[in-house]
Structures are given as C-alpha cells and as structure tokens.
C-alpha cells in the first residue's frame, strides 16, 4: 500500500503473538494484491481495464467500492475513487515540477466521475467510461486497519493498535491504561508547528492535507489531494484530522474534508454520525481553525 505498517498488541503468549501477527500481515498482503494500483494484475486494475461490462469482484473490493459510493454521496462528491487518471497526471506534475496543461486536465476529467461507477448487484461492478482508473488510496489504508483489528479480536487480542502510515485504528486500551495516547501536528496562525495529544480506544484517527505531501510550483504549494470538481490539486493549505468509529470512515472523510474546506466541511460533519474533526486552513482571505464540539472529548490538555 505504499506505506510502512506498525502493529502493536498485547498477548502473554509470545508464540501465539507471532502467529497472530503473521495472520494480520498476510491479510494486509491479500488486500494489497486486490486494491493496489501499483500491481498490474491487481483486482482493481483488472476491473479498471474492463469497462462497459458487469464484472464479478471479491467481497473486499465490492465492500470498499460500495462504501466509497456512500461516502461520495454524503460528501457531495468530494470523495471520489474514480480519480485515477487525474492522480496519475498530477503525480507526473509533482515529479517534473510542471503543472499539467488545461487540456490534459480536461481529458483526464472525462474519464472520472463517481456516477460512472455502478454497482448493479452484490459483488458486481460496472464502469461506464473508457479509460477509467479506480484509486482507493483515500480509503484503503483505513479499511486494511479495520480488517487487521478484526483478525486480532477474532484471535482473542483485545488491546491493539494498527498504524497504516499515520492512519491509526485502535481497539481496547493497553493493560492498566484508560486509553491509547496518540498525537498529530499542525501549524497555527503564526506558522508555528503544534503537537496535539489525543486519547483513543475503539476508534480510528486519520490526518490528511499537505503538511508532508506537496510540491511547490511557481510559488504555489500543491497537495497530493485532487479536487474532483475541477481536476486540480489542492492549493488551500489545509489539514484535517478525523476521529471516527472505524478506519474506513476516518480515512475517507479526512480526504473529503480536505477538498471541501472548513466552511463547506462543517455542514458535512454535522450530518456524519460518530465523526469528530479538527481542521486548519490557511487561504488568501485568512487562517481558519475549527473543530467539532465532540473532538474536544479526545484532546489531552498539557
């Protein structure tokens, strides 16, 4: 999945712990083989190369695409797993430090759109445009973390943490603790980096934005996140941290809210059950910092 994976859990039996850890990593490998864009014969790439046809897919791929369709609807299209052509275009732009031409963006946008991803029946998917490329990078790590936690629970492990490159899902607290202590960084209105501790159990946290993944072209900072509405990489200097009941939801909303920004994001958050959010945005008309009221329940004050 293009990231490092961290696994922490508590079990008194070391031999059992080693075998359970192996089960977790085997499951993540299985998901990677199905969901990765970087593996030519992955299930998602085979699907992307088979337009206009009802394609039978695995439970995993169908579930993640169905969830993605739901999140797309709930975020008014800000979350979109059909952006592969645009993601590839902007990845090349970051490598070359040269903006894509407007006609290239328009050509790529023709091959996108969540309405072109159809789920006609259970475990069946149909793509209705030629040249589509599905990309579940905005939800796949969260889903993988959820699956890892599920395996651990099924094997009697109740206190665990799965770190998928900064997208973290936890189950019960460690022994003799009330919660897991985690943290994230953001920049305040003075440009100073702030580290905020949070407390979690049986929840997931994800952070998205351009704090680490960005490129500067012509003195403008472009994120790795694409706005589905105009096909352009974000340049709104935003960072979003989400806390949700599971990693799938936390991951997807972190990406979507980065696209929406603070003002539009507030309305989406108010309708998302169980979602708490912290957002900072530094745009030409000023610095904004906002959090949902429930987010404060997770904050550890120094």
């Amino acid at each position: 999945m293009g990231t490092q994976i961290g696994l922490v859990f508590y079990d008194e039996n070391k031999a059992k712990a080693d075998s359970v850890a192996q089960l977790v990593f085997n499951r993540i490998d299985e998901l990677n083989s199905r969901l990765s864009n970087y593996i030519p014969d992955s299930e998602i790439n085979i699907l992307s190369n088979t337009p206009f046809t009802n394609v039978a897919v695995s439970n995993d791929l169908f579930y993640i695409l169905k969830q993605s369709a739901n999140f797309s609807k709930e975020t008014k299209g800000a979350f979109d797993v059909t952006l592969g052509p645009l993601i590839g275009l902007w990845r090349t732009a970051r490598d070359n430090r040269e903006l894509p031409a407007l006609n290239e963006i328009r050509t790529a946008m023709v091959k996108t759109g969540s309405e072109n991803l159809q789920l006609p029946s259970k475990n069946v998917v149909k793509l209705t445009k030629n040249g589509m490329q599905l990309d579940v990078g905005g939800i796949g790590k969260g889903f993988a973390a959820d699956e890892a936690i599920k395996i651990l629970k099924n094997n009697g492990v109740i206190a665990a943490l799965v770190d998928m490159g900064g997208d973290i899902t936890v189950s019960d607290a460690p022994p003799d603790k009330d919660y897991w202590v985690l943290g994230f960084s953001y920049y305040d209105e003075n440009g100073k980096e702030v580290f905020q501790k949070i407390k979690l159990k049986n929840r997931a946290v994800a952070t998205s934005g351009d704090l680490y993944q960005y490129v500067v072209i012509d003195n403008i900072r472009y994120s790795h996140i694409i706005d589905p509405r105009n096909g352009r990489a974000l340049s709104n200097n935003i960072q979003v941290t989400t806390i949700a009941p599971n990693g799938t939801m936390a991951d997807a909303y972190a990406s979507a809210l980065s696209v929406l920004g603070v003002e539009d994001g507030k309305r989406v958050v108010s309708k998302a059950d169980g979602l708490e959010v912290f957002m900072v945005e530094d745009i030409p008309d000023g610095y904004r910092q906002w959090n949902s009221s429930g987010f404060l329940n997770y904050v550890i004050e120094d």
Side-chain angles (χ1 to χ4, degrees):
M1 296 190 178
T3 190
Q4 291 186 323
I5 300 166
L7 176 62
V8 179
F9 64 92
Y10 292 82
D11 196 292
E12 294 180 353
N13 185 326
K14 184 180 185 305
K16 175 193 168 188
D18 288 342
S19 65
V20 171
Q22 193 59 56
L23 288 176
V24 170
F25 286 114
N26 288 346
R27 177 63 172 137
I28 292 173
D29 284 343
E30 179 183 41
L31 291 174
N32 191 55
S33 71
R34 290 177 176 165
L35 306 178
S36 174
N37 285 24
Y38 296 98
I39 301 173
D41 60 349
S42 68
E43 187 179 14
I44 199 168
N45 279 341
I46 292 172
L47 173 61
S48 295
N49 292 328
T50 317
F52 313 119
T53 305
N54 285 353
V55 179
V57 300
S58 65
N59 289 335
D60 291 328
L61 183 53
F62 186 78
Y63 176 82
I64 204 168
L65 293 180
K66 186 174 183 179
Q67 290 295 103
S68 296
N70 291 337
F71 291 138
S72 178
K73 183 178 180 181
E74 291 166 4
T75 63
K76 305 185 187 307
F79 184 79
D80 191 340
V81 293
T82 72
L83 298 185
L86 286 164
I87 292 170
L89 187 64
W90 281 94
R91 185 178 292 129
T92 300
R94 289 200 303 276
D95 292 342
N96 297 339
R97 295 185 176 274
E98 184 175 334
L99 293 179
L102 189 57
N103 67 307
E104 291 179 308
I105 294 174
R106 287 172 177 163
T107 299
M109 286 188 73
V110 171
K111 304 171 187 176
T112 70
S114 56
E115 70 278 4
N116 298 313
L117 169 62
Q118 298 182 358
L119 308 172
S121 59
K122 182 172 172 54
N123 285 35
V124 174
V125 181
K126 182 179 181 180
L127 305 182
T128 63
K129 281 287 184 74
N130 203 19
M132 291 181 69
Q133 176 63 62
L134 302 181
D135 188 312
V136 294
I139 191 173
K141 290 187 295 183
F143 173 56
D146 292 339
E147 289 297 293
I149 290 290
K150 188 184 300 182
I151 287 174
L152 291 164
K153 286 183 176 180
N154 289 342
N155 284 274
V157 177
I158 59 171
L161 176 152
V162 182
D163 179 358
M164 300 289 296
D167 292 351
I168 297 174
T169 302
V170 300
S171 53
D172 284 350
D176 303 319
K177 302 287 184 181
D178 294 326
Y179 41 72
W180 294 87
V181 177
L182 307 171
F184 64 94
S185 295
Y186 67 94
Y187 286 100
D188 64 16
E189 58 187 327
N190 298 315
K192 179 183 177 183
E193 187 171 3
V194 178
F195 182 73
Q196 178 62 63
K197 291 181 182 178
I198 56 174
K199 52 188 179 183
L200 286 188
K201 63 179 177 179
N202 297 307
R203 284 289 184 275
V205 59
T207 295
S208 187
D210 64 359
L211 184 60
Y212 300 113
Q213 293 195 59
Y214 67 90
V215 65
V216 176
I217 303 175
D218 296 333
N219 296 318
I220 297 177
R221 179 173 168 138
Y222 292 96
S223 170
H224 67 293
I225 300 171
I226 310 297
D227 187 335
R229 299 168 295 187
N230 58 26
R232 300 183 68 83
L234 300 184
S235 57
N236 56 344
N237 292 350
I238 193 168
Q239 183 175 313
V240 179
T241 295
T242 56
I243 295 174
N246 56 70
T248 305
M249 182 180 186
D251 200 3
Y253 271 96
S255 301
L257 293 170
S258 296
V259 171
L260 290 170
V262 171
E263 291 307 314
D264 289 340
K266 287 179 183 179
R267 290 186 283 273
V268 168
V269 173
S270 68
K271 297 177 182 178
D273 190 32
L275 181 69
E276 302 298 344
V277 176
F278 175 91
M279 303 174 70
V280 292
E281 185 177 30
D282 191 7
I283 54 180
D285 62 349
Y287 175 90
R288 294 190 183 97
Q289 178 177 317
W290 176 80
N291 58 267
S292 57
S293 57
F295 192 89
L296 299 177
N297 295 331
Y298 300 96
V299 168
I300 298 176
E301 300 289 354
D302 289 331

